[in-house]
Amino acid sequence: GSAQMIWVMVTVTVYAGFVARFFPWRLRAVNALDLYANVALLFVSALLAVLTYAQSVSTSVSNGISVAIIIITISPLPVAALVAGYIVYVHNHPAPRQARLKALALLVP
């Protein structure tokens, strides 16, 4: 029950730390999405650990926690849609990116 959720939380926290440190994905927006999804997973794991105890206490409390778990679980989906839209926009409109690259090239001798 809750011991397994603690292991999940530790594993997700270590993975999120590596993502924050090394930024393994090519685009910064995808790294941010990955961190957001990991934080959501961390919250869901914590709520599931609480839910194991709350079920024996009160039905209304466990129902509220269940709704929160559902909302947090699906919350990365709209964020992923926004990131996908941003990636498509940047891919189809390269002028701002090229201007940034030119400005950066001026800084490097």
Side-chain angles (χ1 to χ4, degrees), residues 81-100:
L82 290 172
V83 169
Y86 171 75
I87 291 170
V88 169
Y89 176 79
V90 168
H91 182 72
N92 290 330
H93 298 88
R97 182 171 187 259
Q98 289 173 349
R100 268 196 326 257

Side-chain angles (χ1 to χ4, degrees), residues 8-9 12 35-47 72 76:
V8 168
M9 288 187 287
V12 169
L35 286 173
Y36 179 81
N38 283 309
V39 169
L41 185 59
L42 191 63
F43 283 143
V44 166
S45 300
L47 287 173
I72 294 171

Side-chain angles (χ1 to χ4, degrees), residues 41-60:
L41 185 59
L42 191 63
F43 283 143
V44 166
S45 300
L47 287 173
L48 285 171
V50 170
L51 186 63
T52 58
Y53 295 111
Q55 284 180 339
S56 62
V57 175
S58 170
T59 306
S60 63

Side-chain angles (χ1 to χ4, degrees), residues 3-107:
Q4 291 172 335
M5 289 297 107
I6 292 172
W7 274 108
V8 168
M9 288 187 287
V10 169
T11 304
V12 169
T13 302
V14 169
Y15 175 76
F18 279 114
V19 168
R21 171 67 176 100
F22 296 111
F23 278 70
W25 308 113
R26 188 175 196 159
L27 298 173
R28 191 172 292 202
V30 177
N31 287 305
L33 173 64
D34 194 5
L35 286 173
Y36 179 81
N38 283 309
V39 169
L41 185 59
L42 191 63
F43 283 143
V44 166
S45 300
L47 287 173
L48 285 171
V50 170
L51 186 63
T52 58
Y53 295 111
Q55 284 180 339
S56 62
V57 175
S58 170
T59 306
S60 63
V61 171
S62 63
N63 287 343
I65 292 173
S66 299
V67 170
I69 289 171
I70 292 169
I71 291 170
I72 294 171
T73 300
I74 63 171
S75 70
L77 295 176
V79 176
L82 290 172
V83 169
Y86 171 75
I87 291 170
V88 169
Y89 176 79
V90 168
H91 182 72
N92 290 330
H93 298 88
R97 182 171 187 259
Q98 289 173 349
R100 268 196 326 257
L101 291 176
K102 285 181 185 178
L104 288 174
L106 294 175
L107 296 175

